[in-house]
Every structure is written in structure tokens, then in C-alpha cells.
Amino acid sequence: MTITTPLDQLSGDIWINGNFVKWQDAKIHILTHSLHYSGGVYEGERAYRGKIFKLEEHVERLQNSAENMLLKVPFNFYEIIEAHLEILKRNNIDNAYIRPLIFRGSESLNMSNKMLSSNLMIVAIPSLEKLQKDLNIHISKWRKPHPDALPPQVKSCGHYNMMIVALEEAKALGYDDAILLDWRGYITECTTTNIFFVKNNQLITPIADAFLNGITRQTIIKLAKELGFEIKEKYIELNEITNYDEFFLTGTSAEVKFVASIDINGNKKNFEENKITKLLQQEYANLVHK
Ligand code: PMP
């Protein structure tokens, strides 16, 4: 596979509602409810040398997301774990990006209808080595929804509607990603990653009350504490960013990535340092490959 191969042209098996379905046959009907109205929930996981990192945490979050979005999960925790292991083995992939998705079926276009099914699919896609490039980021004009509008700890497809818009806009303007602010104007996260700044031996990260408290974020906080760094979770305003020496992003897919510059309403701040980021990148790599 090359990076330009469209995903839907790969081969292998995809796990759908307890069955292995051939990649090319893994189709849904055009009336699929979650396609029209969003409403699905999903996870993004990674397997390293055949082992899925933090699998239990991801499956718990998936179940919790489904429960919050009033989607019945058609399988229990252990069945979902087992399905993950089977799909890796079946496709014989050691290093993979794994995507479970729970979605409503195509039985009705009513917003709510008793006939509507809830479905689970799990796919494992071979991981491609991504090179660290200089990331240049700006501030999106879009804000994270208020926690009363969409629960922030839920990995619901709904959250990604505006994340896609924010990312498309950032790219059209020549940036690699965008930071979203919350309704108060505090920094939250980028479109698929959490945010950390570094100053001296301290890591500064926003309080996760309006955005996803990522599994990688929690892992990095624990790792950094073990390494003796002080962690400060606080509300961060835009005008503080110029004080910080390093800036990095965390996520299951992104892992740990340093940011080269940020454009704050026309003022560019460059981050020349990435010593602590590099150390944490290495420690994270050691952990996931254990
Ligand atoms: N924020 C958003 C919006 C994300 O999509 C992700 C990726 N799941 C993250 C943060 C990082 O979360 P995690 O470390 O659990 O992958």
C-alpha cells in the first residue's frame, strides 16, 4: 500500500456486527441514518507489533460515548475487545490504525424510530510511518461547542463536523491545523489532538472541561510526572502563548508532535525549542512498543 491508495481499495476483512466481511463488500445503504444525521460514535486506536495500546480504555470510551448519545451498543465490553483482537489476527497486521464505529442503520429516515438498528464495525488499517514536519498552526474562528450543547468527553461524529471545517479552513490558509477556543475564549485542543506547552521544567496544558481528555494526553501527563516534570492544568488564554518555549500535540494517531509556529491573529510566534518534547516523544515511543 502507498500513501495514495484510497482506503476503500484495500483488501482484507472488516468486522461488522459479528461477521467478517470482505473489504470490497463492506458497504452500507445510502439511507444510513448516521450518514444523514451524524449521531455515530467512534474510536481511533493503534496497534504496535500486534498489541493495541490502551485497548480497554478505548473500548470503555466507545461504550461511554454510545451511552451518552443514546446509542445501544450491540455487543458487550468483552465481545468488543475480542473482535478487535480477531480483526488484527485475521488480517495479519501488526502495526495498525484501528477504527471501531457504532452507527444507526438505514431502516428509517425518521429522527427516531423503533426499527432503527445500532451497528458496530471495526476495521484495522496498516499504519504508515508519518514523518514529523514543521507544524504551523493558527486559531480557528470556530469554537468548541459548550459542554451543555455536546458532551466534550464523547467521541461523537457530531464533534467532527466543525473540526473538519476548521481543518479545511486552516489548510486553505496554508496552516497545518487549527486551535479551537471554548465559549470563554480559553484554548481547548486542535482538530484531532490535545495541547501541551512547556516552560522550563513545567508542562502546561488546558483543563479538560470543554474538550476531549485524550488517552494520549493522560498517558503523557503520567509519563511526564514519572520523569519529574511538574504538570500545570490551567485555563490558558491566547496572550499567554508567547511566554512558552515549546508547544506539542498529543493523540493516538499523531502520538507526540512538536509545533513550529502559531499565528495568533496575525502575530507569529516561533517555537525554537523542542528538547522536552523530543524526550517525551521518545518515552512515549518506548511505552507503546513495550
Ligand atoms: N482531541 C480530539 C478532538 C481528537 O479527535 C483526539 C483523537 N482521538 C484527541 C483529542 C486525542 O485523543 P486520544 O489521545 O485519545 O487519541
Side-chain angles (χ1 to χ4, degrees):
M1 186 183 69
T2 68
I3 203 151
T4 51
T5 309
L7 279 189
D8 57 2
Q9 289 178 24
L10 300 184
S11 57
D13 287 343
I14 298 180
W15 190 100
I16 307 178
N17 291 334
N19 302 307
F20 290 109
V21 179
K22 287 274 157 250
W23 205 280
Q24 295 304 322
D25 300 330
K27 305 225 160 69
I28 52 161
H29 196 275
I30 201 70
L31 293 179
T32 298
H33 197 276
S34 292
L35 173 67
H36 291 251
Y37 304 124
S38 188
V41 298
Y42 75 92
E43 273 303 311
E45 304 153 1
R46 275 185 79 164
Y48 298 88
R49 296 197 204 127
K51 192 161 172 256
I52 303 171
F53 186 65
K54 305 266 179 199
L55 174 58
E56 285 82 6
E57 285 86 338
H58 281 285
V59 173
E60 256 170 40
R61 189 168 69 183
L62 180 73
Q63 289 185 302
N64 183 49
S65 296
E67 198 176 308
N68 275 279
M69 299 315 280
L70 307 183
L71 264 168
K72 263 214 179 78
V73 188
F75 297 90
N76 70 31
F77 178 81
Y78 300 101
E79 288 166 336
I80 300 174
I81 296 268
E82 190 54 32
H84 276 79
L85 305 179
E86 281 176 8
I87 199 68
L88 271 191
K89 210 159 86 193
R90 180 92 168 191
N91 289 295
N92 200 17
I93 329 180
D94 276 353
N95 298 309
Y97 176 80
I98 300 154
R99 162 62 54 86
L101 167 77
I102 302 176
F103 61 100
R104 289 193 176 87
S106 50
E107 298 84 0
S108 170
L109 275 182
N110 295 340
M111 298 288 263
S112 163
N113 189 304
K114 281 199 167 57
M115 278 194 306
L116 278 167
S117 60
S118 183
N119 305 274
L120 171 63
M121 78 95 198
I122 308 173
V123 64
I125 300 159
S127 293
L128 291 171
E129 211 48 58
K130 287 184 208 149
L131 296 177
Q132 165 83 56
K133 58 175 224 155
D134 278 355
L135 292 179
N136 301 301
I137 285 183
H138 86 142
I139 310 297
S140 176
K141 66 179 188 231
W142 299 103
R143 299 220 173 183
K144 286 288 294 178
H146 189 285
D148 288 346
L150 197 55
Q153 302 314 329
V154 158
K155 211 166 155 57
S156 145
C157 299
H159 273 294
Y160 292 88
N161 299 342
M162 290 321 294
M163 291 306 203
I164 292 168
V165 174
L167 185 59
E168 289 286 357
E169 284 185 348
K171 287 194 169 173
L173 293 167
Y175 301 100
D176 300 293
D177 205 342
I179 287 182
L180 283 92
L181 306 180
D182 68 15
W183 78 100
R184 298 164 291 198
Y186 295 135
I187 287 170
T188 64
E189 59 187 351
C190 284
T191 57
T192 54
T193 47
N194 289 125
I195 288 173
F196 285 86
F197 297 101
V198 181
K199 180 81 187 170
N200 302 325
N201 263 357
Q202 196 177 57
L203 263 60
I204 302 104
T205 189
I207 294 171
D209 63 357
F211 61 88
L212 191 71
N213 184 6
I215 291 170
T216 320
R217 175 185 185 274
Q218 295 171 48
T219 306
I220 288 293
I221 289 176
K222 189 162 173 282
L223 258 181
K225 276 186 185 158
E226 284 164 9
L227 290 167
F229 293 104
E230 194 189 324
I231 312 287
K232 197 165 179 183
E233 292 184 73
K234 68 189 283 284
Y235 295 116
I236 303 176
E237 295 185 40
L238 280 180
N239 61 15
E240 287 172 50
I241 295 181
T242 45
N243 300 331
Y244 298 134
D245 301 329
E246 298 183 38
F247 176 10
F248 67 88
L249 307 174
T250 63
T252 299
S253 177
E255 301 176 323
V256 178
K257 284 216 157 63
F258 54 81
V259 175
S261 80
I262 180 165
D263 190 326
I264 307 169
N265 305 323
N267 296 316
K268 193 168 173 188
K269 151 91 179 166
N270 292 306
F271 295 91
E272 318 283 351
E273 292 277 326
N274 53 42
K275 205 172 87 210
I276 291 174
T277 305
K278 278 195 168 151
L279 172 72
L280 291 168
Q281 251 173 356
Q282 192 51 54
E283 291 291 331
Y284 184 75
N286 295 344
L287 186 68
V288 296
H289 285 102
K290 242 186 195 166

